[in-house]
Amino acid sequence: LFCLKMGSHDGEVEELPPPPPVPPDVVPIKADDVVPLEVVPPDVVPPDVVPIKADDVVGESPPNKPVKPKRVPMVRPGIGRKGQQILLYSNHFKVSVKSTEDFFFHYHVNLKYEDDRPVDGKGIGRKVIDKLQQTYHSELSNKDFAYDGEKSLFTIGALPQKNNEFTVVMEDTSTGKTAANGNGSPGGNDSPGGGDRKRVRRSYQPKTFKVELIFAAKIPMNAIGQVIRGEESENSLEALRVLDIILRQHSAKQGCLLVRQSFFHNNPSNFVDLGGGVMGCRGFHSSFRGTQSGLSLNIDVSTTMIVKPGPLIDFLIFNQKVDHPSRIDWQKAKRAIKNLRIKTTPANQEFKIVGLSEWTCKEQTFPLKQRNGSNGDCDTVEITVYDYFMKKGIELRYSGDFPCINVGKPKRPTYFPVELCTLVPLQRYTKALSTLQRSSLVEKSRQKPQERMTVLNDALQHSNYDSDPMLRACGISVASKFTQIEGRVLQAPKLKAGNGEDIIPRSGRWNFTNKRMFQTCSVDKWAAVNFSARCDVRSLIRDLIRNASAKGIQMDQPFEVFEESPSMRRAPVSRRVDDMFEQIKSKLPGAPKFLLCLLPERKNCPWKRKCLAEFGIVTQCLAPARVNDPYLLNLLMKINAKLGGLNSLLQIEASPAIPHVSKVPTIILGMDVSHGHPGQSDRPSIAAVVSSRQWPLISKYRASVHTQSPRLEMMSSLFKPRGTEDDGLIRESLIDFYTSSGKRKPDHVIIFRDGVSESQFTQVINIELDQIIEVLHLFCLSLHICLVCHQLLYSPLPGKSPDCTSV
């Protein structure tokens, strides 16, 4: 029996009357004993009703479903002792933090226009939030913001208002431009350009934004202290994320180009020309890291590709490798310049390119409104873009015969002659680089260790993080000198070659000259194909067979050398590949085991995909510019490995005496995800796993690949159940290890995961590791995971290096 209390209409609590007395022949039952009613779902769900699962009910969770604790990275149990000790500088700067009991308050940012349309333009968010902070500074108790430019905003302490909805008005000076505007007037009124300033009427049209800050979570700032003590938790990782957002915001206010945690200044001394209108831009990566010795600021050099700033016509000439504007392919140009930002003369206004005009500047017309007399009436006349600008006194030297640049909207185009357009600096180039551009980028980005450390030290000084109000409010102070640590110089591993010979490294290199390979393959049933490469193919094959014999590889004469038909040289690449395969099918008695492919230049082509994916034929491509014996040796090492041979072993592997690995069956896995080139957002990502085989060897590997959603970094196919079967990558690797290692299951699994940032490592050990455990629970006893870190550098102290320049 129980009593309910309910609220009356006037706000007072009204008590229900007591229940009636229980008859003597009735036995009361408790509520727990009541048999629950069976809820029968309807046969047909109405079309306007979306069914939800019981787990989806807000505020409720299944009583039998415990919340799974999140994994966090472990503290390293100890350090090694082998090797010669050496003092090193690392690219970390010690960070000290004052103790505080405050909280970071996380708010979700909802940006809308006045008509409730969501704001989706990049870059506008920071301007709106900056204006909000200026306008409502006193109402917000003078609080500083840390804004990520998208949906997350952080403050130290809560905002004073419960209802955080604001109206922000921003002046828009994008009207009054000397442009040929398809809406009937140049920029909204008949404004002259450049010279006649007295007649210019700048029409300021303010834009109104609605900003809503919705409370999402709060993060204790003392979690940063956990990192200082060498501990990590979910709160500490979130706190470090807030600090990294502060770094991004600080660099954004300095006018940097932001690429995740990498920042690039508009400094011509940081630019290197890669050709084709593309430049490499040197910058630096900066982020807070938790280490066993506490919190530190990690700074590393970084490079991105940008469009070469300057006249737009120059970019198109460089990009298409032509010597005159008249030779520009404007269909290619339209794809190359879309979404780039330009400044126009003489108005000096900035726009984003949306396309090109259908006609040339002398032929493209638009309706122009002109005043008729003194009564204020307007007449509309058709005028060409060329004539419009000439009447404004703006001389056009060569634009008349080329399309105009369209910077307007689909129904309201705005045209500028191409010679009045200049590309603004720091615009990322997101298309694929050519082979020559990639080589040039690598060559020109190379720096010596001391030069690199000098650049990083200068980057810290110029960033001036100590002046940032949010970092000061967090009690963050960054040391001005590199962190000095103790390191160890390990003895370089020796290799075991064929005939029991040892290969001892010298100056960091292993020389295979006059050495035979440890385990060789036989190359038979093979052919060569030549895609119009300018070389003596017969002579190259003769030298290749001679070098193969010297290395212990049995290489037969090719069954045939297929030369490409001269008529196919200008055909599309896919047609050339298909035609070559038709030749192979018609002349060979069966599928070859191996194909040697000669290409005219180092360039990606569909040949490898055709051979491997469609026919399962091993292939080796080369672009024979300078062929000599060392070049052919490198080529033979690749061929030998692809056909099942083994070029060398670690000497410690041949003993076998590798700690942990050689004692019990151990499989080593390497995992990575490859994405399409920038700008290819529709290309699926490739998840790959390589796994060791033939234990106790660790130098033999197999590879497995699966496709997954574009730009998805977490591997989704490690465990892939299909009914009662698993079709995932880990199962393939384990089965291969079992069959190649004398039917032994691995007792240990060591995983190297590449390609993830520090912030994503927690996702790896909570998402990917769950998939791996699903497969491993029947196979292995223990699991070790190693994170490959790319932003960590070491440089020996001057005068303290034991015969080395960098470690």
Side-chain angles (χ1 to χ4, degrees), residues 96-316:
S96 58
V97 183
K98 293 180 182 177
S99 179
T100 177
E101 296 301 320
D102 284 337
F103 287 82
F104 287 123
F105 277 73
H106 179 194
Y107 293 91
H108 177 81
V109 179
N110 189 12
L111 288 179
K112 295 183 288 187
Y113 291 106
E114 193 173 12
D115 58 1
D116 288 335
R117 288 182 297 114
V119 176
D120 54 3
K122 290 185 178 180
I124 188 66
R126 291 193 187 277
K127 296 177 183 177
V128 173
I129 294 298
D130 286 346
K131 185 67 175 180
L132 181 149
Q133 201 170 6
Q134 295 171 13
T135 307
Y136 298 96
H137 207 57
S138 57
E139 289 89 336
L140 297 170
S141 300
N142 299 326
K143 283 193 176 295
D144 292 307
F145 293 163
Y147 178 50
D148 71 349
E150 295 180 2
K151 295 291 185 182
S152 292
L153 182 143
F154 298 86
T155 61
I156 298 176
L159 294 176
Q161 301 176 175
K162 290 186 177 180
N163 181 22
N164 292 305
E165 295 185 10
F166 306 93
T167 300
V168 178
V169 179
M170 298 189 67
E171 292 80 10
D172 180 17
T173 60
S174 61
T175 57
K177 299 179 272 292
T178 308
N181 190 295
N183 194 36
S185 66
N189 58 68
D190 196 6
S191 309
D196 194 359
R197 284 295 186 191
K198 293 182 180 179
R199 294 178 54 200
V200 175
R201 295 192 315 182
R202 295 291 179 187
S203 169
Y204 290 91
Q205 294 183 352
K207 281 189 178 180
T208 302
F209 296 88
K210 295 178 181 178
V211 183
E212 186 179 10
L213 304 180
I214 306 167
F215 172 74
K218 64 178 183 178
I219 305 161
M221 293 176 63
N222 59 20
I224 303 173
Q226 293 179 316
V227 183
I228 296 290
R229 295 189 296 273
E231 305 168 2
E232 281 195 2
S233 67
E234 189 176 350
N235 279 336
S236 67
L237 295 175
E238 285 297 315
L240 291 186
R241 175 173 166 257
V242 177
L243 296 182
D244 283 344
I245 288 172
I246 296 173
L247 295 184
R248 280 177 57 85
Q249 177 176 269
H250 182 82
S251 295
K253 290 181 177 179
Q254 292 182 334
C256 292
L257 167 65
L258 308 183
V259 183
R260 293 180 290 276
Q261 284 299 129
S262 294
F263 316 126
F264 303 91
H265 288 274
N266 184 21
N267 184 349
S269 64
N270 293 333
F271 301 160
V272 291
D273 197 342
L274 305 179
V278 183
M279 305 186 79
C281 179
R282 294 196 192 103
F284 65 96
H285 166 97
S286 180
S287 64
F288 287 98
R289 299 287 181 92
T291 67
Q292 281 190 279
S293 59
L295 184 64
S296 67
L297 179 67
N298 173 224
I299 298 183
D300 192 12
V301 294
S302 184
T303 304
T304 192
M305 281 69 68
I306 61 171
V307 174
K308 188 173 184 176
L312 179 59
I313 196 72
D314 289 351
F315 167 75
L316 293 174

Side-chain angles (χ1 to χ4, degrees), residues 41-52:
D43 294 333
V44 179
V45 179
D48 58 340
V49 175
V50 179
I52 62 172

Side-chain angles (χ1 to χ4, degrees), residues 75 97 107 194 220 475 483 537 574 652:
V75 176
V97 183
Y107 293 91
T483 301
V537 181
S574 57
I652 194 173

